[in-house]
Amino acid sequence: MINGAHVVIYTRDAEADRAFFRDVLGWAHVDAGHGWLIFRAPPAEVAFHPAEGEPSHELMLMCDDIDATTAELTEKGVEFTLPLQEARWGRVTRFRLPGGGEVGLYEPRHPRA
């Protein structure tokens, strides 16, 4: 049976994004060899949303207090690319990774799976 998920983030600067997850987010990791870091992710959920056009995938990290989390990340130099927004399902923003990608960050209002 399936016992986990492995998320792959394609990036223009893998080293910088690995350093970001290691040093800024502080995620635990292992070195799979030659500096190829694999990070332990927090508990996860999977949701399916309707799409117009081609299907796609998105990584959104969750937090309990988005105001405190964005303040802490801002102090560490993280660039937020979306002003904090209120949605019926939670409060959401996005931040830029050093390699150019973006990751969503939200404080859910819905029951956690």
Side-chain angles (χ1 to χ4, degrees):
M1 195 52 150
I2 295 170
N3 63 9
H6 183 91
V7 176
V8 177
I9 299 174
Y10 292 95
T11 175
R12 291 187 297 263
D13 191 341
E15 287 297 321
D17 286 348
R18 290 178 189 136
F20 179 86
F21 272 72
R22 180 190 63 218
D23 301 336
V24 176
L25 298 183
W27 284 21
H29 60 278
V30 297
D31 188 326
H34 308 289
W36 196 278
L37 303 183
I38 305 293
F39 293 88
R40 182 179 69 209
E45 300 175 336
V46 177
F48 296 88
H49 293 238
E52 295 182 19
E54 290 299 312
S56 62
H57 310 290
E58 180 177 15
L59 176 62
M60 296 187 74
L61 303 178
M62 298 185 299
C63 62
D64 293 327
D65 183 340
I66 201 163
D67 293 317
T69 302
T70 55
E72 179 182 343
L73 292 174
T74 298
E75 287 178 14
K76 294 180 177 183
V78 174
E79 175 192 355
F80 286 86
T81 59
L82 176 71
L84 189 59
Q85 296 184 347
E86 303 286 332
R88 93 182 139 67
W89 45 267
R91 301 175 70 206
V92 64
T93 186
R94 298 182 68 72
F95 61 86
R96 187 172 317 283
L97 295 175
E102 291 188 359
V103 174
L105 175 68
Y106 86 104
E107 177 185 330
R109 289 191 176 133
H110 58 79
R112 305 273 298 260

